[in-house]
Amino acid sequence: MKKQKLKNKLCLIGIFLLSSYTLSAQTLKPFVLQGKLPDDAKGYLYLYYPLPDERWQKDSCLLDQGNFVFKGTLSMPTVARLSYAESMTQVILEPAQMKAVLKQGNDLTKLAMTGSKSQNELAELNQSLQKIENRWETVIDTLMEVNKRSNTAFQNLKNWVLDPYFKEVAEVNQQFINKYPFSFASAHILQVFGRELSTDTLQLFYNRFPPQVKQSRYGKYIAQKLAERKLGIPGLMAPGFSKEGINGKNVSLVDQQGKYVLLDFWGSWCVPCRKGNPHLISLYQKYKNAGFEIIGIAADDRTPAAWRKAVADDQLPWLHILQGDIGKAYNIESYPTSILIDQKGKIIGRFGEDHAALDRMLENIFK
């Protein structure tokens, strides 16, 4: 059941990341998905799939001795979700005649589907990923139990414990995309997996897609992410902002011109962020009188009390604001992320959890 829930969560991530991107106007063609669950399956089977106008279509079919039929129209292959009882799986629908069969039980992830080329390709990938999951099942289950007791302990463990797991998954995903460079399935996988890739690699994969894949909701999503990666990078002028700070006084980036400013994007819940605070404090004390300032920008808009407590507990002496929309302007996708801005307002550095590169840059600036 735990493995089932993990798969369901991964499926939902891939599906709902797509919900705000429209398909370009193309000819709608009919699809038919018919199939069979075990004879004793009763109740409704549900199918969810995106429409060209951004809405999600929810269809239901009352099972008749396990038999079902769904009909609709599509302009191109698209990821859909099948749901029955407590089980859920994703499939790639195509404008075609398709068939799906589950011979026993009610675990929809074991559904065998034919008639969709993209689904066949995705099934090949899922088989490879399943082998990795099976080998790591005990480790992942153990970490889930740790998380129930302490999220902090979980965060401390997960990265280094699961690093080999993530590397295996990344390698299998890249192999799949290289094998099927023109596939809708590859574009679908790349929307989620792409955030782990360098911009050059992501751009390479995107460039290889044919026009129809680039015009799909998956291709458009990747294109948007590539555009966002051009935000908040060294060489650009830093987007301005002005917000009420933690003490009620206004904090504006333009007021800091003439100083080197480090924007520290963090969160009270982020263990690596909190672990890095003592080092940032040492940097602040070392360089503040030489023209260095830090603005803490916290992703705690929904939990301001936790933000205030973290600032007080960690004794952070610099300026503090809540993030709001500032993170979008700088393309902040992970925490901690620090951005160094020079005296004229130009971004000169972007850093993650490791402060070594930041240390070297500050040493060269203030030597």
Side-chain angles (χ1 to χ4, degrees), residues 44-96:
Y44 285 89
L45 178 68
Y46 296 93
L47 175 68
Y48 306 82
Y49 61 95
L51 299 173
D53 62 1
E54 299 187 22
R55 294 179 298 114
W56 278 77
Q57 177 69 39
K58 177 182 178 181
D59 285 349
S60 63
C61 181
L62 181 62
L63 296 168
D64 179 11
Q65 294 185 324
N67 294 291
F68 63 87
V69 178
F70 291 103
K71 297 181 180 181
T73 56
L74 298 169
S75 60
M76 63 180 65
T78 189
V79 176
R81 177 163 57 107
L82 281 170
S83 176
Y84 173 67
E86 294 184 354
S87 181
M88 184 272 287
T89 192
Q90 67 178 15
V91 296
I92 301 184
L93 299 179
E94 294 191 1

Side-chain angles (χ1 to χ4, degrees), residues 23-42:
L23 293 171
S24 60
Q26 296 191 26
T27 303
L28 293 174
K29 300 177 182 179
F31 76 83
V32 178
L33 175 62
Q34 68 180 74
K36 191 176 188 323
L37 303 186
D39 291 341
D40 59 354
K42 299 179 181 179

Side-chain angles (χ1 to χ4, degrees), residues 155 159 195 264-274 297-301 323-324 326-328 331-338 351-353:
Q155 290 194 57
N159 287 335
R195 68 178 301 172
D264 177 37
F265 290 89
W266 70 298
S268 64
W269 40 265
C270 171
V271 172
C273 303
R274 304 289 294 275
I297 305 176
D300 286 274
D301 296 85
Q323 181 169 277
I326 300 172
K328 294 180 181 178
N331 189 35
I332 303 302
E333 292 189 331
S334 61
Y335 301 89
T337 294
S338 297
F351 315 95
E353 184 177 344

Side-chain angles (χ1 to χ4, degrees), residues 121-134:
E121 294 167 350
L122 186 63
E124 179 183 324
L125 173 63
N126 287 338
Q127 288 177 2
S128 299
L129 293 176
Q130 185 62 60
K131 292 178 182 178
I132 298 175
E133 260 191 51
N134 290 342

